[in-house]
Amino acid sequence: LDVLFPLELKKVIFVDADQIVRTDMKELVDMDLKGAVYGYTPFCDNNKEMEGYRFWKQGFWATHLRGKPYHISALYVVDLDQFRAMASGDTLRILYDQLSQDPNSLANLDQDLPNYAQDRVPIFSLPQEWLWCESWCGNKTKAKARTIDLCNNPMTKEPKLTMAARIVKEWSDYDLEVRTFTEKIENGEAALPAAKDGESRESSQRGSNHKNTEEL
């Protein structure tokens, strides 16, 4: 991140593709992270049915975290100025190089590495409502959810599309909108993006197809 983005960019937000946003994300951009590099939401602790699956309360993670929360990586904000000022990129690269020597380390890289590095690359714990997941949070706090994450349920292993239709009331509308638009594209009823100056319509079509392929 220290070399990926232009220096004038102050913050960046990551949102998982299987997440439904129900809030103004600008609030996350404006949030004071209290000097921390990251803002992550801790895993929920209130769905007691999943207690046996909370790996961060057992073994290595329980010892390493020493009471600190283990955060979920489906949504987070990064203060790029602070990230660069603390040389966090160098710290993470060194830790990754050390930990990657063991094939059993960093099973979930984007989540394990920042949680492991909390003592050196501090994390600000976002309020719980910023990420709700049925598996870990249960239904009591769903009404306050700013985002809904379709995280895997290790107990039921329910497919995500089935889960989305069941727990996200607006999902049917989203699904219908996407299906309708896709059908229009396939039937040639939707207009193609306007070609840029000096670019033919055919090359614009090829570029659009290439982009869609990469996204898939």
Side-chain angles (χ1 to χ4, degrees):
L1 293 176
D2 47 350
V3 296
L4 183 61
F5 296 105
L7 293 176
E8 59 267 23
L9 185 63
K10 303 301 181 183
K11 285 186 178 179
V12 62
I13 295 174
F14 172 84
V15 184
D16 249 357
D18 63 345
Q19 197 142 332
I20 294 90
V21 175
R22 290 179 164 179
T23 192
D24 184 354
M25 298 298 279
K26 189 175 185 302
E27 292 183 40
L28 200 54
V29 173
D30 295 337
M31 186 176 292
D32 181 5
L33 301 183
K34 310 296 183 184
V37 170
Y38 299 117
Y40 280 83
T41 309
F43 266 88
C44 282
D45 198 37
N46 50 321
N47 185 2
K48 299 308 177 184
E49 292 181 358
M50 304 299 292
E51 195 62 31
Y53 295 94
R54 290 187 169 93
F55 60 86
W56 57 93
K57 290 186 173 184
Q58 309 165 30
F60 167 80
W61 280 110
T63 302
H64 179 75
L65 291 172
R66 300 191 306 277
K68 289 186 175 69
Y70 184 89
H71 302 82
I72 189 168
S73 62
L75 166 76
Y76 58 92
V77 57
V78 185
D79 184 329
L80 292 174
D81 283 344
Q82 189 71 346
F83 192 94
R84 296 181 184 110
M86 295 184 66
S88 299
D90 290 337
T91 300
L92 292 171
R93 282 186 282 269
I94 290 170
L95 288 174
Y96 173 77
D97 185 62
Q98 294 171 351
L99 294 171
S100 61
Q101 306 301 317
D102 180 354
N104 297 315
S105 296
L106 305 176
N108 192 356
L109 176 60
D110 64 318
Q111 196 164 271
D112 287 347
L113 184 58
N115 277 290
Y116 180 88
Q118 286 187 67
D119 286 339
R120 301 187 222 181
V121 184
I123 295 176
F124 174 76
S125 294
L126 300 175
Q128 199 68 64
E129 63 264 22
W130 274 98
L131 193 149
W132 180 89
C133 164
E134 183 186 57
S135 301
W136 307 107
C137 302
N139 287 315
K140 289 184 179 180
T141 56
K142 182 180 178 182
K144 297 180 180 179
R146 289 173 173 264
T147 71
I148 293 178
D149 181 32
L150 301 175
C151 56
N152 293 316
N153 186 317
M155 184 182 296
T156 66
K157 297 179 172 58
E158 182 180 19
K160 292 198 176 188
L161 291 179
T162 304
M163 185 190 304
R166 180 176 58 79
I167 68 176
V168 183
K169 64 180 181 180
E170 61 266 40
W171 181 263
S172 296
D173 292 335
Y174 290 157
D175 189 49
L176 178 60
E177 181 180 352
V178 171
R179 288 176 184 273
T180 300
F181 180 72
T182 301
E183 186 176 342
K184 287 182 177 179
I185 291 290
E186 291 176 344
N187 294 336
E189 298 172 8
L192 292 170
K196 299 176 183 178
D197 291 343
E199 181 183 33
S200 69
R201 187 180 183 86
E202 289 75 14
S203 63
S204 176
Q205 171 72 70
R206 287 195 299 272
S208 176
N209 289 341
H210 178 66
K211 181 177 183 294
N212 290 337
T213 302
E214 287 182 337
E215 289 173 349
L216 291 173

